[in-house]
Amino acid sequence: MIRHIKTAQASVTGSTDSAVTKTVEALLAKVEAGGDKAVRELSVQFDKLDRESYRLTEGEIANCINSLTRQEREDLDFAQEQVRKFAEAQKAALLDIEIESLPGVILGHKNVPIQNVGCYVPGGKYPLLASAHMTVLTARVAGCERVITCAPPFQGKLAEKIVAAQALAGADEIYCLGGVQAIAAMAYGTETIAPVDMLAGPGNAYVAEAKRLLFGKVGIDLFAGPTETLVIADDSVDGEIVATDLLGQAEHGANSPAVLITNSEKLARETLSEIDRLLKILPTAAVAAKAWEDYGEIIFCDTLEEMVEEGDRVASEHVQVMTSDPDYFLNNMKNYGAFFLGARTNVAFGDKVIGTNHTLPTNRAARYTGGLWVGKFLKTCTYQKILTDEASAMIGAYGSRLCLMEGFAGHAEQANIRVRRYGGKNVGYAMPADPN
């Protein structure tokens, strides 16, 4: 039987606040109409940063890289190498194909990189430099021709570590721009910023809404909501490690869901006690405590099957499994953004360093999509060709009749003219080809 030991007091609806939508629509329209002038005005208004050009110079970028300590540079290089290594392996799994489906009929597909990509790296509350690895570097591995990136200033100055990460990841152009104005500038283009074909990267509610509203004009990676975490655990672990991993993600924001699914009531009670203890010493407790109070849940299940059922229902962005057999969930669960299997790993490893991408589906979108990966920056485009007259006439005869079944005479004539020319058969205009 499934029951709640702690129930969330609020729920993330996935719907957008109409006031946010109205604000974002106005900001997008301002940038679309005003170009660079509007971008500058909004940057001064929201980020208190006034520059003639928001594109960083080579000297500024070099200064940001040189500001890293030796250890910071080594750590950044290590993290980016892990992300690159996994992205390259993913790309290697994506093969172009070509088959001869019938004699003389060739069908194929090619994985074509998106030409122009804009990557947003958030940095208002925290300088999330890891997002540079996950977006810029992954797009670069995919083979995108032009990868540009924006990040807001941090505490009124260039976010040096973000800029260093953007540059080391391989960005072609780096802009010190944040918020809706950054997203709009990349999507619409300005007098000095060429527009992109796709936007990628997380951000606050305004950035997320800007991407949602621009979807269609440009591609986007995901519709993003508040960070979520789900821990699935049994009595093979203790309450301290479970509580640590729940609060480690709850600190993202006051509306970040953190959920425990367990078949151990003892572990559930221990976790509650440990959360109370840790919130007294965690520096980000003000945020994490609010998230846990409003969005935290503990769900007790009798069986592994019930745990899988609940896990699929929650469909969390991050699913950390700390049980005696984590692979049981890998083999049976269907809805998750990313798995973190076993107590030796955790979501923070995935967020920062291990190599899998941290841009993942939220708001139960894991029911129908995975996260950002090298394949998101590639278009799988099909092609066909016919090598013989006989094959053209044969396909044409079928096509003629099938088009007319749908009432498309013009389509049918595209087929018929080839039956006449390559098959030597007389087919009446807008009439079905004879099957004999």
Side-chain angles (χ1 to χ4, degrees):
M1 184 178 72
I2 299 169
R3 60 187 175 89
H4 278 74
I5 292 175
K6 181 189 182 305
T7 303
Q9 302 303 305
S11 61
V12 178
T13 64
S15 60
T16 304
D17 185 329
S18 60
V20 171
T21 300
K22 186 176 180 180
T23 297
V24 172
E25 285 175 337
L27 295 172
L28 291 175
K30 182 171 183 176
V31 173
E32 183 179 21
D36 285 332
K37 182 174 182 290
V39 168
R40 186 173 184 177
E41 289 173 356
L42 293 174
S43 295
V44 172
Q45 178 183 345
F46 293 115
D47 290 330
K48 306 296 185 290
L49 184 67
D50 189 12
R51 290 171 58 109
E52 190 70 29
S53 171
Y54 288 86
R55 180 173 177 176
L56 303 192
T57 66
E58 290 185 8
E60 287 176 313
I61 294 168
N63 288 340
C64 290
I65 294 173
N66 292 335
S67 74
L68 298 173
T69 67
R70 181 177 177 180
Q71 188 63 59
E72 287 172 338
R73 177 62 188 268
E74 288 180 3
D75 291 345
L76 265 180
D77 286 345
F78 178 83
Q80 292 198 347
E81 180 57 26
Q82 308 321 303
V83 174
R84 181 181 293 106
K85 191 182 301 180
F86 190 62
E88 287 174 345
Q90 289 181 311
K91 187 181 180 185
L94 294 170
L95 302 179
D96 294 348
I97 64 168
E98 184 174 280
I99 66 167
E100 188 169 11
S101 60
L102 293 164
V105 177
I106 305 299
L107 308 178
H109 79 223
K110 290 179 67 67
N111 294 295
V112 182
I114 294 170
Q115 284 183 282
N116 295 283
V117 173
C119 301
Y120 187 76
V121 180
K125 189 187 300 181
Y126 304 106
L128 297 180
L129 55 98
S131 289
H133 324 329
M134 306 300 174
T135 56
V136 175
L137 197 154
T138 306
R140 185 57 72 208
V141 170
C144 300
E145 290 179 15
R146 172 174 170 258
V147 182
I148 73 171
T149 179
C150 291
F154 185 65
Q155 297 177 348
K157 301 183 294 185
L158 296 185
E160 291 181 335
K161 290 180 174 60
I162 288 180
V163 173
Q166 291 168 318
L168 294 171
D172 295 302
E173 303 162 29
I174 301 175
Y175 297 87
C176 189
L177 285 172
V180 175
Q181 63 269 25
I183 299 299
M186 290 192 287
Y188 292 125
T190 71
E191 297 90 329
T192 60
I193 303 173
V196 300
D197 305 310
M198 177 182 173
L199 293 167
N204 64 19
Y206 294 88
V207 167
E209 181 63 1
K211 288 171 63 181
R212 188 185 73 84
L213 291 171
L214 288 164
F215 179 57
K217 179 174 180 58
V218 293
I220 66 170
D221 49 356
L222 294 166
F223 294 110
T227 292
E228 311 160 350
T229 198
L230 167 64
V231 175
I232 298 175
D234 61 18
D235 56 12
S236 65
V237 292
D238 57 62
E240 181 185 28
I241 196 168
V242 174
T244 297
D245 289 337
L246 289 168
L247 294 179
Q249 293 302 302
E251 75 175 0
H252 262 284
N255 58 350
S256 291
V259 180
L260 168 63
I261 294 174
T262 184
N263 56 2
S264 168
E265 190 161 349
K266 177 176 177 289
L267 178 65
R269 302 297 176 191
E270 278 183 11
T271 300
L272 282 170
S273 295
E274 285 296 318
I275 286 176
D276 288 342
R277 181 182 70 83
L278 293 173
L279 284 174
K280 293 182 176 68
I281 58 175
L282 181 66
T284 53
V287 174
K290 183 62 175 171
W292 178 248
E293 178 184 357
D294 290 346
Y295 295 92
E297 293 185 75
I298 297 181
I299 302 169
F300 178 81
C301 299
D302 285 324
T303 66
L304 292 176
E305 291 79 10
E306 287 179 345
M307 294 168 79
V308 167
E309 178 186 339
E310 278 298 282
D312 279 335
R313 180 189 64 79
V314 173
S316 183
E317 175 187 14
H318 306 106
V319 179
Q320 186 165 344
V321 182
M322 295 188 288
T323 63
S324 57
D325 182 13
D327 284 352
Y328 177 84
F329 295 88
L330 176 64
N331 294 329
N332 288 279
M333 269 185 65
K334 303 295 189 293
N335 302 333
Y336 55 92
F339 264 139
F340 306 83
L341 299 171
R344 293 183 180 86
T345 190
N346 64 85
V347 176
F349 286 3
D351 279 349
K352 310 302 178 189
V353 66
I354 206 167
T356 54
N357 206 290
H358 77 188
T359 306
L360 299 166
T362 59
N363 293 329
R364 302 191 68 233
R367 292 171 298 131
Y368 57 82
T369 187
L372 182 62
W373 68 299
V374 72
K376 288 273 189 178
F377 295 107
L378 296 165
K379 303 171 293 183
T380 302
C381 303
T382 60
Y383 63 88
Q384 57 169 272
K385 54 185 172 182
I386 295 180
L387 304 180
T388 66
D389 291 352
E390 293 80 6
S392 181
M394 184 267 291
I395 292 291
Y398 279 101
S400 168
R401 296 188 297 272
L402 288 165
C403 290
L404 288 170
M405 286 171 64
E406 295 180 351
F408 283 111
H411 284 60
E413 270 306 300
Q414 289 182 269
N416 287 344
I417 195 171
R418 286 161 176 83
V419 174
R420 297 184 196 108
R421 293 192 178 188
Y422 299 116
K425 294 184 179 179
N426 186 23
V427 183
Y429 190 83
M431 299 296 290
D434 191 331
N436 299 314

